[in-house]
C-alpha cells in the first residue's frame, strides 16, 4: 500500500529514480508479504530497460561516422544525467569505447562531454574529475598526429580539462556559465585579489576556446561550402558550445576588468589590457567568420562585438557595454532531431511513462482485485471488500490533498514569480539610477579635475611667462655681446681672406715660375741628351775612320818595307816611290773627306725618305678610314631606318581597330619576349664592339634587323594577349608594350645620328621586356591546371630544359672567364678566375646531379608503372610529378640567376653577397630536386646512391663558391684601406660620427630587411601551398 502511494505521488524524474533505488531493496520484502514476485521483476526490468536505452543513446551519439552528433541522442544523454543525478552510466559506457584508436570517435566524445558539462546535472563534474589524467594523456597522444582530427582532438581535450579545472576552482560558476551580476560579485567575495586571479583564469579559459575555434577554421577549406557537407558539420557542430562559452566569458571579463580598474592603478593592469585586446580581435574575427556560414545561420544567432574594444581607463564606458547574447531559435535543430522541450516537461513525461508502465505491470484488474486478496491469507470476501473500500478512500483523500497542495504551490509560485519580477524591475531601475548618478559624479569629478589642471596650467604658464621674459632680457644682452663679437670675427675673417688671397696669388706665381724652371730644365736635359747621342755617334764614326786609317797605315808600312827592300837596288826608284807615297796619302785624305760628305748626304736623304713614307701612310689610312666611315654610316642609316619603321608600324597596328579581334596566349608571349631579350643582349654586345672598332659593323646590322623584327612581334603578341587577360593585367601589359615600342624607336633613332650613336642604350627596352615577361608569367595557368595526360611530357620537357639551362650557364661562365683573362690583370684577374672557376665546378656538379636524377626517375617509373604507360604513371602520381616539375624549374632558374650575378660581379656592377645568396639558393633548389626524386625510390637503389653522392658534390661545390667569394671580397677590400695620415682630430671625429650614423642606419635597414624576408618567406610558403595543393591535402 505504501509503495503504491509513493509511486502515484512522484512529481519529478528524480523521485522516480529514488523510488526505483528503494524498489531494488524494498520490493523483495513486499513480494514476501504479498507474494508478488512479478512486481519486483517488472520494476527491475524497467530499470534495466532504462540503462539499455541510455547505453544505446550514448553509443549512437558517439560513433565513428564523420557526421554531426544528433541532437536527440545528445539530449537523451543530458536527461540521463538528471535522472541518475550523475554521470556514472555515461562514463561506464565511454570507458568501453576505443577513443585512443579513432580520432572521429574521440572528437564526438568531446562534443557530447562538453554538452554534459554545460547542460547536464551538477554532479557530472564531480563524477568526471577522476578521469582528468586520462584525458590529459589522450590529449598528448593525439597531439603527435598532425593531420586530420588529431590536432583537433588534442586541443579539444585540453579545453575540457581547463573547463573542469575552472569549475572545480570556482564552484559558484554553473556549467553553462549563466550568472547574474550579483552572483559574479559574490564569486569574487568582494576581494580585489580574488577578482584579479579570476580574470587571469578566465583569460586562460577563453584562450583555450579561441585556440579550438581557430584550429577548426584552419582545418577547413573555406573556399568551398564546407558547412553543408557532413564532414564539415562534424567539425563545426562543437563550435556552438564554444560560442556560448565565449559570449559569457567575454562579458564577465569586461565587467571584471572595469571593476579592477576602479580599484587598482592602470599600469598594474597593462598586461590584462594587452591580453584582452588580443583576445578581443580574435573573438571578433571568429564571430564574424562564423556568422557567414550557412550551418550556423540555421542553428544559432551569433552576436557581433563592437567595432572598438571598451576603454577601461574611462569608468563611464561600462554603461556603454552591451552584453553579447547568443540566441538559439526555437526551430534550431537538425532535420533528424526532435523538438527541444523543457527538462521538467521531460520529467513529467517520464513520470507518465512510468505510471503507464506500472499499470501495465499490475494489469487492468488492479481496480477490482489489485493484489489478489481473494486467494490469499484466508480472508473472507466481505473483509476484503471493506479493506479495498478503505484503501480506495484513503487513496482518494490523498489524491485530493495532493491536488490541493499542487494548486497552492502553483499559486504561491506564480505570486513569487510576480514579486520577483517586480523586485527585479525595481532593482534594474535602481541600478540604472545608480549608474546615472555614478556617471554624473564621474563627469563632475572629471570636470573638477580638468578645472584644477587648467588652474595649475595657468599658474605654471604665468610663472613660465615671467621666467621667459627674464630669459629674453638676458638673451638680448647676450645677443648684443655676441653680435659685437661676430662683427669682430667677420672683420678678422675678411682680413684673413685677403691675406689668404695674396698668399694664394704668390703661391700661384711661384708655382708658375717653378713650372717654367722645370720645363726649361726638361728642355736642357733633352738638348743634352741629343748632344750626347750626336757626340756618341761622331765618336763611333771617328773610331771607324781611325780603324780604316790604321789598316791603310799597316798596308802602307808593308808597302814601305817592300819599297825599302827594293831601295837598295835602285835609289832613283826609291825617290820616285817616296813621291808616289806622298801623293797617295794626299789622295787618301781627299777620299776620306769625300766619303764623310757622302755619308752625311745619305743620312739626310734617308731621313727625308722616311718622313715622306710616314706622311703617305697616314694620309692613306685617313682616307681609308673616312671611306669606311662613310660606307658604314650609309649602311647603318639605311638598316636602322628600316628597323625603326618596322617597330613604328607595330605600334600603329596596336592602335588599329582590326587588331582588337586578335588574341594570344601567355606562353607564346613569353617565348617572343625571351627571344627579344636575348637579341637585345646580342645587340648590346655588337654595339659595344662597334664603338671599339668601327670595322665591326658587319655584326651590328644583322642584330638590328632581328631586333626590330622580334620587338615588333613581341608588341603585337602582347597586345593580342591583353585582349583575353583580366582588366588590370591587360591595362598594365598594353601600357608596357607601348613603352617598350617607344623606347625601341628612340634607341634606333639614336643609332642613326652620329652624334648620339655612342650614347645610345637599349637597357630601357630590356627592362620593359622583363616587365612584360613578368606579367606573362602571372597570366600563365597554374601547374595544377595541366591535364593529367600532359604531366609526363611536362616532366621530360622540364628536366631537359633544366639540363639545357645548366649547359648554357656553363658556357656563359666559360665565356666570362675568357673575357676576364683577356681584359683583367693583377688582383682583379685572380679574384675573377677563382670565383668563375668555383661557379664552373658548381655547374658541373649540378649537371651530374640532374643526370643522376633523370636515371633515378626512369628507374622509379619502370619499377612502379607495371603494365601502364609512363604517362599513366605520372598521371596516377600527379603530386609527385608536380613536385619534380617545380624542383626542375627551381634548379634551372637558380642556375640562370647565379650566372647573371657572377657576370655582374666580374664586370664590377654586382656585389659578392648576391653571388653567395644565389649559390645558396641553387643548392636549396637542388636539394628540393633530390628530395622530390627519392620520395618513391627504393632505399637499396644504386641510382639513389649516385644521386645522394651527386647531392653531396653540389653541397661541396656550393661551399667552394661561397668560400671563394668571401676570399675574393676580403682580398678586394684589403686594397681599400683608409689613409688617416693627412686628417686632423676634428676630421677624424666628424668621420667617426658619420660612421656611427651609418651603422645605426644600416642596423635599421637590416632589421627592416629581415622583417621583409620573413614576410616574403611566409607569402612564398602560402603561394607554394596553393600551387602544390597543401590545403586540399589537409582537407582530405
Amino acid at each position: 500500500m505504501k509503495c503504491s502511494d509513493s509511486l502515484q505521488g512522484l512529481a519529478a524524474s528524480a523521485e522516480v529514480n529514488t523510488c526505483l533505488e528503494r524498489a531494488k531493496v524494498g520490493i523483495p520484502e513486499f513480494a514476501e508479504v504479498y507474494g508478488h514476485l512479478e512486481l519486483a521483476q517488472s520494476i527491475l526490468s524497467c530499470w534495466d530497460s532504462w540503462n539499455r536505452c541510455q547505453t544505446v543513446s550514448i553509443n549512437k551519439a558517439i560513433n565513428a561516422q564523420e557526421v554531426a552528433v544528433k541532437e536527440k541522442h545528445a539530449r537523451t544523454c543530458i536527461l540521463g544525467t538528471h535522472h541518475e543525478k550523475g554521470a556514472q552510466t555515461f562514463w561506464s559506457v565511454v570507458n568501453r569505447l576505443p577513443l585512443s584508436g579513432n580520432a572521429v570517435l574521440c572528437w564526438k566524445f568531446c562534443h557530447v562531454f562538453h554538452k554534459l558539462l554545460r547542460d547536464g546535472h551538477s554532479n557530472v563534474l564531480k563524477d568526471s574529475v577522476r578521469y582528468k589524467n586520462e584525458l590529459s594523456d589522450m590529449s598528448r597522444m593525439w597531439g603527435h598526429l598532425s593531420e586530420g582530427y588529431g590536432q583537433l582532438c588534442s586541443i579539444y581535450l585540453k579545453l575540457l580539462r581547463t573547463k573542469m579545472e575552472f569549475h572545480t576552482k570556482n564552484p559558484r560558476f554553473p556549467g553553462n556559465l549563466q550568472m547574474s551580476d550579483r552572483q559574479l560579485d559574490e564569486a569574487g567575495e568582494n576581494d580585489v585579489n580574488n577578482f584579479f586571479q579570476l580574470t587571469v583564469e578566465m583569460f586562460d579559459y577563453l584562450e583555450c576556446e579561441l585556440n579550438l575555434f581557430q584550429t577548426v577554421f584552419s582545418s577547413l577549406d573555406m573556399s568551398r561550402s564546407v558547412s553543408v557537407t557532413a564532414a564539415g558539420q562534424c567539425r563545426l557542430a562543437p563550435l556552438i558550445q564554444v560560442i556560448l562559452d565565449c559570449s559569457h566569458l567575454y562579458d564577465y571579463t569586461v565587467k571584471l576588468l572595469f571593476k579592477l580598474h576602479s580599484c587598482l592603478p592602470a599600469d598594474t593592469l597593462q598586461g590584462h589590457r594587452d591580453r584582452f585586446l588580443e583576445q578581443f580581435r580574435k573573438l571578433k574575427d571568429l564571430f564574424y567568420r562564423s556568422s557567414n556560414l550557412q550551418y550556423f545561420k540555421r542553428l544559432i544567432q551569433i552576436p557581433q562585438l563592437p567595432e572598438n574594444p571598451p576603454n577601461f581607463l574611462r569608468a563611464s564606458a561600462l554603461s556603454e557595454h552591451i552584453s553579447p547574447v547568443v540566441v538559439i531559435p526555437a526551430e534550431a535543430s537538425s532535420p533528424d532531431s526532435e523538438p527541444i522541450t523543457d527538462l521538467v516537461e521531460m520529467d513529467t513525461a517520464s513520470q507518465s511513462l512510468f505510471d503507464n508502465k506500472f499499470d501495465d505491470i499490475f494489469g487492468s484488474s488492479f481496480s477490482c482485485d489489485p493484489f489478489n486478496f481473494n486467494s490469499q491469507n484466508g480472508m473472507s470476501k466481505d473483509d476484503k471488500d471493506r479493506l479495498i473500500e478503505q484503501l480506495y478512500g484513503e487513496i482518494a483523500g490523498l489524491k485530493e490533498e495532493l491536488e490541493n497542495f499542487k494548486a497552492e504551490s502553483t499559486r504561491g509560485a506564480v505570486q513569487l514569480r510576480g514579486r520577483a519580477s517586480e523586485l527585479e524591475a525595481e532593482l534594474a531601475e535602481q541600478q540604472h539610477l545608480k549608474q546615472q548618478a555614478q556617471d554624473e559624479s564621474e563627469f563632475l569629478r572629471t570636470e573638477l579635475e580638468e578645472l584644477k589642471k587648467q588652474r595649475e596650467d595657468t599658474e605654471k604658464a604665468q610663472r613660465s611667462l615671467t621666467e621667459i621674459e627674464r630669459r629674453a632680457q638676458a638673451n638680448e644682452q647676450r645677443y648684443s655681446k655676441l653680435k659685437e663679437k661676430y662683427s669682430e670675427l667677420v672683420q678678422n675673417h675678411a682680413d684673413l681672406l685677403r691675406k689668404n688671397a695674396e698668399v694664394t696669388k704668390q703661391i700661384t706665381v711661384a708655382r708658375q715660375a717653378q713650372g717654367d724652371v722645370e720645363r726649361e730644365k726638361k728642355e736642357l736635359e733633352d738638348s743634352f741628351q741629343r748632344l750626347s747621342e750626336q757626340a756618341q755617334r761622331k765618336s763611333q764614326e771617328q773610331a771607324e775612320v781611325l780603324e780604316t786609317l790604321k789598316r791603310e797605315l799597316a798596308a802602307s808600312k808593308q808597302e814601305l818595307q817592300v819599297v825599302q827592300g827594293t831601295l837598295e837596288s835602285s835609289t832613283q826608284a826609291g825617290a820616285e816611290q817616296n813621291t808616289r807615297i806622298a801623293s797617295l796619302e794626299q789622295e787618301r785624305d781627299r777620299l776620306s773627306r769625300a766619303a764623310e760628305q757622302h755619308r752625311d748626304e745619305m743620312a739626310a736623304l734617308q731621313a727625308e725618305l722616311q718622313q715622306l713614307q710616314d706622311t703617305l701612310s697616314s694620309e692613306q689610312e685617313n682616307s681609308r678610314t673616312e671611306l669606311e666611315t662613310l660606307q658604314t654610316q650609309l649602311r647603318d642609316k639605311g638598316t636602322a631606318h628600316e628597323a625603326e619603321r618596322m617597330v613604328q608600324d607595330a605600334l600603329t597596328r596596336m592602335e588599329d581597330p582590326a587588331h582588337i579581334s586578335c588574341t594570344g596566349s601567355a606562353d607564346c608571349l613569353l617565348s617572343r619576349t625571351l627571344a627579344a631579350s636575348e637579341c637585345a643582349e646580342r645587340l648590346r654586345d655588337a654595339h659595344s664592339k662597334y664603338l671599339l672598332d668601327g670595322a665591326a659593323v658587319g655584326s651590328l646590322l644583322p642584330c638590328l634587323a632581328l631586333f626590330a623584327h622580334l620587338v615588333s612581334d613581341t608588341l603585337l603578341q602582347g597586345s593580342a594577349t591583353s585582349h583575353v587577360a583580366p582588366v588590370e593585367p591587360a591595362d598594365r601589359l598594353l601600357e608596357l608594350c607601348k613603352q617598350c615600342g617607344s623606347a625601341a624607336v628612340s634607341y634606333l633613332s639614336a643609332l642613326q645620328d652620329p652624334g648620339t650613336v655612342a650614347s645610345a642604350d637599349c637597357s630601357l627596352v630590356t627592362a620593359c621586356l622583363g616587365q612584360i615577361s613578368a606579367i606573362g608569367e602571372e597570366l600563365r595557368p597554374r601547374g595544377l591546371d595541366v591535364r593529367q595526360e600532359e604531366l609526363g611530357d611536362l616532366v621530360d620537357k622540364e628536366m631537359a630544359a633544366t639540363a639545357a639551362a645548366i649547359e648554357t650557364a656553363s658556357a656563359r661562365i666559360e665565356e666570362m672567364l675568357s673575357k676576364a683573362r683577356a681584359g683583367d690583370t693583377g688582383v682583379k684577374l685572380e679574384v675573377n678566375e677563382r670565383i668563375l672557376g668555383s661557379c664552373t665546378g658548381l655547374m658541373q656538379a649540378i649537371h651530374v646531379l640532374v643526370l643522376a636524377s633523370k636515371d633515378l626517375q626512369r628507374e622509379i617509373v619502370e619499377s612502379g608503372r607495371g603494365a601502364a604507360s609512363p604517362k599513366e604513371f605520372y598521371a596516377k602520381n600527379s603530386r609527385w610529378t608536380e613536385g619534380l616539375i617545380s624542383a626542375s624549374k627551381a634548379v634551372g632558374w637558380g642556375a640562370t640567376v647565379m650566372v647573371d650575378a657572377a657576370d655582374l660581379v666580374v664586370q664590377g656592377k654586382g656585389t659578392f653577397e648576391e653571388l653567395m645568396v644565389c649559390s645558396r639558393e641553387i643548392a636549396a633548389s637542388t636539394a628540393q630536386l633530390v628530395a622530390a626524386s627519392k620520395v618513391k625510390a627504393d632505399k637499396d637503389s644504386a641510382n639513389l646512391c649516385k644521386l645522394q653522392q651527386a647531392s653531396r658534390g653540389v653541397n661541396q661545390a656550393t661551399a667552394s663558391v661561397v668560400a671563394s667569394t668571401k676570399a675574393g671580397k676580403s682580398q678586394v677590400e684589403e686594397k681599400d684601406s683608409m689613409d688617416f695620415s693627412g686628417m686632423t682630430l676634428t676630421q677624424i671625429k666628424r668621420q667617426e660620427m658619420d660612421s656611427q650614423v651609418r651603422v645605426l642606419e644600416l642596423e635599421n635597414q637590416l632589421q627592416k630587411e629581415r622583417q621583409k624576408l620573413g614576410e616574403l618567406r611566409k607569402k612564398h610558403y602560402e603561394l607554394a601551398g596553393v600551387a602544390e595543393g597543401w590545403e586540399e591535402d589537409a582537407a582530405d
Side-chain angles (χ1 to χ4, degrees):
M1 182 67 184
K2 293 180 180 179
C3 180
S4 174
D5 292 341
S6 300
L7 291 173
Q8 291 181 0
L10 292 176
S13 60
E15 296 178 359
V16 174
N17 293 327
T18 304
C19 181
L20 289 175
E21 291 292 338
R22 293 175 181 174
K24 291 183 179 180
V25 180
I27 284 177
E29 298 177 358
F30 179 85
E32 290 179 1
V33 176
Y34 295 100
H36 280 270
L37 291 175
E38 294 180 359
L39 175 62
Q41 293 175 357
S42 298
I43 294 177
L44 291 175
S45 65
C46 179
W47 178 256
D48 294 337
S49 176
W50 181 85
N51 277 333
R52 286 194 300 272
C53 179
Q54 193 72 12
T55 302
V56 170
S57 297
I58 294 172
N59 287 324
K60 287 184 177 180
I62 306 174
N63 54 44
Q65 297 179 1
E66 195 175 0
V67 295
V69 176
K70 293 185 178 180
E71 286 295 328
K72 61 181 181 181
H73 301 320
R75 187 166 58 250
T76 303
C77 296
I78 295 172
L79 293 176
T81 61
H82 288 282
H83 289 170
E84 66 172 343
K85 297 182 179 180
Q88 293 89 349
T89 304
F90 174 76
W91 282 107
S92 64
V93 176
V94 168
N95 288 333
R96 295 193 296 269
L97 297 176
L99 299 180
S100 300
N102 192 309
V104 177
L105 196 69
C106 182
W107 176 254
K108 300 179 78 172
F109 155 73
C110 295
H111 184 191
V112 176
F113 184 41
H114 196 174
K115 280 180 169 288
L116 294 184
L117 290 176
R118 281 187 51 82
D119 302 327
H121 196 271
S122 59
N123 291 333
V124 172
L125 179 63
K126 299 178 182 178
D127 295 337
S128 303
V129 170
R130 70 186 68 174
Y131 300 101
K132 186 167 63 175
N133 294 331
E134 285 81 353
L135 296 180
S136 299
D137 296 338
M138 196 183 304
S139 175
R140 286 192 296 271
M141 186 272 292
W142 283 117
H144 297 297
L145 186 63
S146 60
E147 298 179 355
Y149 283 87
Q151 289 294 327
L152 297 177
C153 293
S154 175
I155 296 175
Y156 207 166
L157 290 169
K158 290 179 183 177
L159 169 60
L160 295 176
R161 178 186 173 91
T162 304
K163 185 176 180 66
M164 289 191 293
E165 291 176 350
F166 177 80
H167 290 288
T168 303
K169 292 180 181 178
N170 304 280
R172 294 178 183 268
F173 283 84
N176 55 10
L177 296 174
Q178 294 181 0
M179 295 180 68
S180 63
D181 293 343
R182 181 179 57 82
Q183 292 173 334
L184 183 62
D185 294 337
E186 293 176 354
E189 299 177 357
N190 292 325
D191 188 354
V192 67
N193 296 322
N194 294 339
F195 285 128
F196 190 93
Q197 182 62 28
L198 182 60
T199 306
V200 174
E201 294 175 358
M202 283 190 177
F203 279 145
D204 297 338
Y205 192 176
L206 185 57
E207 187 70 28
C208 294
E209 301 275 5
L210 294 177
N211 286 340
L212 179 61
F213 222 135
Q214 290 179 330
T215 307
V216 170
F217 270 70
S218 61
S219 66
L220 297 173
D221 185 5
M222 304 308 293
S223 62
R224 297 179 295 182
S225 301
V226 294
S227 62
V228 299
T229 63
Q233 293 177 0
C234 181
R235 300 192 183 194
L236 292 173
L239 296 185
I240 296 178
Q241 312 301 317
V242 175
I243 293 171
L244 293 171
D245 289 345
C246 289
S247 63
H248 292 299
L249 290 174
Y250 167 76
D251 184 31
Y252 299 154
T253 304
V254 172
K255 294 176 180 178
L256 289 176
L257 283 176
F258 274 111
K259 189 178 293 294
L260 288 174
H261 277 79
S262 65
C263 303
L264 296 176
D267 296 339
T268 306
L269 299 172
Q270 182 63 42
H272 281 56
R273 290 197 300 273
D274 295 341
R275 193 171 182 185
F276 173 81
L277 290 177
E278 180 183 0
Q279 292 184 354
F280 173 80
R281 288 191 291 268
K282 292 182 181 178
L283 186 60
K284 180 180 178 182
D285 179 62
L286 293 174
F287 274 10
Y288 175 75
R289 295 172 63 185
S290 303
S291 62
N292 294 328
L293 292 179
Q294 188 65 30
Y295 177 71
F296 289 123
K297 290 180 180 178
R298 186 169 53 89
L299 297 178
I300 190 171
Q301 183 177 346
I302 301 174
Q304 296 298 325
L305 298 183
E307 185 67 24
N308 298 316
N311 184 8
F312 300 109
L313 302 179
R314 186 168 58 89
S316 60
L318 179 59
S319 61
E320 302 172 1
H321 170 66
I322 301 176
S323 300
V325 179
V326 180
V327 180
I328 300 180
E331 66 276 5
S333 61
S334 57
D336 55 345
S337 64
E338 299 175 355
I340 299 176
T341 58
D342 189 78
L343 290 177
V344 177
E345 295 178 1
M346 293 298 298
D347 294 340
T348 305
S350 301
Q351 173 62 30
S352 301
L353 178 64
F354 188 83
D355 291 342
N356 294 335
K357 184 67 178 178
F358 187 82
D359 292 340
D360 294 339
I361 292 173
F362 289 98
S364 61
S365 63
F366 180 74
S367 60
C368 59
D369 190 8
F371 294 101
N372 196 15
F373 288 152
N374 293 330
S375 61
Q376 294 182 19
N377 301 326
M379 296 179 66
S380 63
K381 185 175 181 181
D382 295 335
D383 295 337
K384 293 179 180 177
D385 292 338
R386 286 194 298 274
L387 180 60
I388 290 171
E389 291 176 357
Q390 181 181 355
L391 292 175
Y392 274 126
E394 292 178 358
I395 291 171
L398 291 173
K399 285 184 177 180
E400 186 177 357
E401 292 179 0
L402 181 61
E403 293 296 332
N404 294 333
F405 177 74
K406 288 182 178 179
E408 292 177 358
S409 300
T410 304
R411 287 194 297 272
V414 171
Q415 293 176 357
L416 291 175
R417 288 193 187 97
R419 182 58 180 167
S421 300
E422 294 176 359
L423 293 175
E424 287 178 356
E426 292 179 0
L427 179 61
E429 185 177 359
Q430 294 296 331
Q431 288 180 348
H432 181 66
L433 294 176
K434 178 185 176 183
Q435 187 64 37
Q436 287 182 349
Q438 288 179 352
D439 293 342
E440 290 178 359
S441 64
E442 183 69 24
F443 178 72
L444 293 174
R445 189 182 298 110
T446 304
E447 287 187 348
L448 181 60
E449 291 178 355
E450 290 179 355
L451 291 174
K452 289 180 180 180
K453 290 181 179 179
Q454 289 178 1
R455 186 180 65 183
E456 293 176 357
D457 294 339
T458 303
E459 293 176 355
K460 291 180 180 179
Q462 291 177 354
R463 290 194 298 269
S464 300
L465 182 60
T466 305
E467 182 68 21
I468 290 171
E469 290 177 352
R470 186 179 61 81
R471 290 180 180 177
Q473 293 176 359
N475 289 333
E476 287 179 358
Q477 297 176 0
R478 191 179 298 109
Y479 174 73
S480 300
K481 295 180 181 179
L482 290 175
K483 188 175 181 180
E484 295 175 358
K485 191 67 175 177
Y486 176 73
S487 300
E488 294 178 0
L489 291 175
V490 169
Q491 186 64 31
N492 295 333
H493 182 65
D495 295 339
L496 291 174
L497 287 176
R498 285 193 295 271
K499 292 180 180 179
N500 187 24
E502 293 176 358
V503 172
T504 305
K505 185 176 180 180
Q506 294 175 0
I507 291 173
T508 304
V509 173
R511 286 180 178 174
Q512 291 177 356
Q514 185 180 0
D516 296 338
V517 171
E518 289 179 355
R519 283 194 297 272
E520 291 178 357
K521 181 180 178 182
K522 188 174 181 180
E523 291 177 358
L524 292 175
E525 289 178 354
D526 295 339
S527 300
F528 178 75
Q529 184 69 23
R530 288 194 298 272
L531 292 174
S532 299
E533 292 177 357
Q534 292 178 2
Q536 188 177 0
R537 285 197 300 271
K538 289 181 178 180
S539 300
Q540 291 177 357
E541 292 175 356
Q542 290 176 358
E544 292 177 357
V545 173
L546 183 59
E547 186 67 27
T548 304
L549 292 175
K550 287 181 180 180
R551 288 194 298 271
E552 292 179 356
L553 181 58
S556 299
K557 287 181 179 180
Q558 292 177 0
E559 293 178 358
L560 182 58
Q561 291 176 357
V562 174
V563 171
Q564 288 177 355
T566 59
L567 184 59
E568 295 177 354
S569 61
S570 178
T571 304
Q572 187 178 359
E576 292 176 359
Q577 189 67 32
N578 290 332
T579 305
R580 185 181 179 185
I581 289 171
S583 62
L584 288 174
E585 288 179 355
Q586 293 176 358
E587 184 66 23
R588 182 190 63 187
D589 295 336
R590 186 182 61 78
L591 290 176
S592 297
R593 288 192 298 270
E596 183 67 26
Q597 292 177 358
H598 181 70
R599 215 171 10 252
D600 294 338
E601 292 176 357
M602 288 294 293
L605 292 175
Q606 288 179 355
E608 185 178 357
L609 178 62
Q610 184 65 33
Q611 184 178 1
L612 291 174
Q613 289 178 352
D614 294 340
T615 303
L616 181 60
S617 60
S618 61
E619 289 178 356
Q620 290 178 352
E621 183 67 25
N622 292 332
S623 301
R624 184 168 61 254
T625 303
E626 290 177 357
L627 180 60
E628 291 177 354
T629 302
L630 292 174
Q631 292 176 354
T632 301
Q633 290 178 355
L634 182 61
R635 289 182 295 174
D636 195 359
K637 287 183 179 180
T639 306
H641 180 70
E642 184 64 24
E644 180 183 359
R645 190 190 61 78
M646 188 182 301
V647 177
Q648 190 65 44
D649 181 64
L651 290 173
T652 305
R653 289 178 61 188
M654 287 175 60
E655 302 294 337
D656 190 359
H659 185 64
I660 298 177
S661 59
C662 299
T663 58
S665 63
D667 292 329
C668 185
L669 174 61
L670 287 174
S671 63
R672 294 291 87 195
T673 306
L674 179 60
S677 300
E678 293 177 353
C679 182
E681 292 296 332
R682 292 197 298 271
L683 179 60
R684 180 184 297 173
D685 295 338
H687 186 210
S688 301
K689 294 179 181 178
Y690 170 70
L691 293 177
L692 295 176
D693 185 9
V697 69
S699 61
L700 178 62
L701 296 179
C703 291
L704 278 176
L706 182 60
F707 172 76
H709 171 72
L710 292 177
V711 169
S712 302
D713 198 4
T714 302
L715 297 180
L716 294 177
Q717 188 63 36
S719 177
T721 306
S722 65
H723 295 158
V724 295
V727 178
E728 183 178 355
D731 294 340
R732 288 192 290 117
L733 180 60
L734 196 60
E735 184 64 25
L736 284 174
C737 289
K738 293 179 180 179
Q739 292 180 4
C740 181
S742 301
V745 170
S746 300
Y747 174 68
L748 294 173
S749 300
L751 289 179
Q752 299 177 38
D753 188 0
T756 60
V757 67
S759 61
D761 189 11
C762 64
S763 58
L764 184 58
V765 180
T766 306
C768 292
L769 290 175
Q771 295 177 3
I772 293 173
S773 178
I775 296 177
E777 288 290 345
E778 293 178 2
L779 297 178
R780 289 188 65 187
R782 297 276 184 174
L784 296 176
D785 298 335
V786 180
R787 297 196 302 273
Q788 297 290 335
E789 59 270 20
E790 296 177 357
L791 285 175
D793 297 334
L794 188 58
V795 170
D796 296 334
K797 290 179 181 178
E798 288 299 333
M799 294 299 289
T802 302
I806 293 170
E807 292 177 358
T808 304
S810 300
R812 286 188 61 189
I813 290 174
E814 292 293 335
E815 182 180 358
M816 287 188 288
L817 185 58
S818 301
K819 290 182 179 179
R821 288 172 178 171
D824 298 334
T825 58
V827 176
K828 185 176 181 181
L829 177 60
E830 181 181 355
V831 172
N832 292 340
E833 282 184 346
R834 187 185 301 115
I835 292 175
L836 293 178
S838 60
C839 291
T840 302
L842 178 59
M843 289 295 107
Q844 293 175 355
I846 294 173
H847 183 67
V848 173
L849 183 137
V850 171
L851 294 179
S853 176
K854 291 174 67 176
D855 295 337
L856 180 60
Q857 174 191 344
R858 191 179 301 108
E859 179 183 348
I860 292 172
V861 173
E862 292 297 329
S863 62
R865 66 186 179 89
S869 64
K871 291 185 179 180
E872 293 175 350
F873 177 83
Y874 285 127
K876 182 179 180 182
N877 301 275
S878 60
R879 291 295 183 205
W880 176 69
T881 307
E882 290 165 1
L884 280 177
I885 294 171
S886 177
S888 301
K889 288 181 178 179
V891 171
W893 176 82
T896 304
V897 171
M898 194 192 76
V899 172
D900 294 337
D903 190 9
L904 293 176
V905 169
V906 171
Q907 294 178 5
K909 300 178 181 179
T911 60
F912 294 94
E913 288 77 9
E914 293 178 357
L915 185 57
M916 289 189 283
V917 170
C918 291
S919 61
R920 292 193 179 102
E921 183 67 25
I922 196 171
S925 301
T926 54
Q928 180 185 357
L929 179 60
V930 172
S933 300
K934 70 178 184 180
V935 165
K936 293 184 175 294
D938 187 5
K939 63 180 181 179
D940 297 327
S941 173
N943 288 325
L944 178 60
C945 295
K946 290 171 58 179
L947 181 63
Q948 292 174 346
Q949 185 176 1
S951 176
R952 287 191 290 270
V954 170
N955 292 333
Q956 293 175 359
T958 303
S960 176
V961 171
V962 174
S964 62
T965 304
K966 288 182 178 179
K969 178 182 178 183
S970 61
Q971 191 171 359
V972 171
E973 289 177 350
E974 287 177 359
K975 297 173 56 181
D976 299 331
S977 60
M978 295 186 64
D979 183 16
F980 303 100
S981 59
M983 298 175 64
T984 63
L985 178 62
T986 305
Q987 292 175 344
I988 292 176
K989 185 62 179 178
R990 179 63 182 174
Q991 290 201 4
E992 180 183 358
M993 294 175 63
D994 294 340
S995 298
Q996 291 177 356
V997 172
R998 182 61 177 166
V999 167
L1000 293 177
E1001 291 176 353
L1002 291 176
E1003 288 178 350
N1004 190 17
Q1005 291 180 4
L1006 177 61
Q1007 184 178 1
K1008 292 181 180 179
E1009 287 298 325
R1010 283 177 174 170
Q1011 294 177 356
K1012 182 179 178 181
L1013 177 61
E1015 294 296 329
L1016 288 173
R1017 286 178 174 172
K1018 182 178 179 181
K1019 190 64 178 178
H1020 175 262
Y1021 295 154
E1022 291 177 359
L1023 295 177
V1026 173
E1028 298 296 335
W1030 294 345
E1031 294 182 356
E1032 294 181 1
D1033 294 341
D1036 295 337

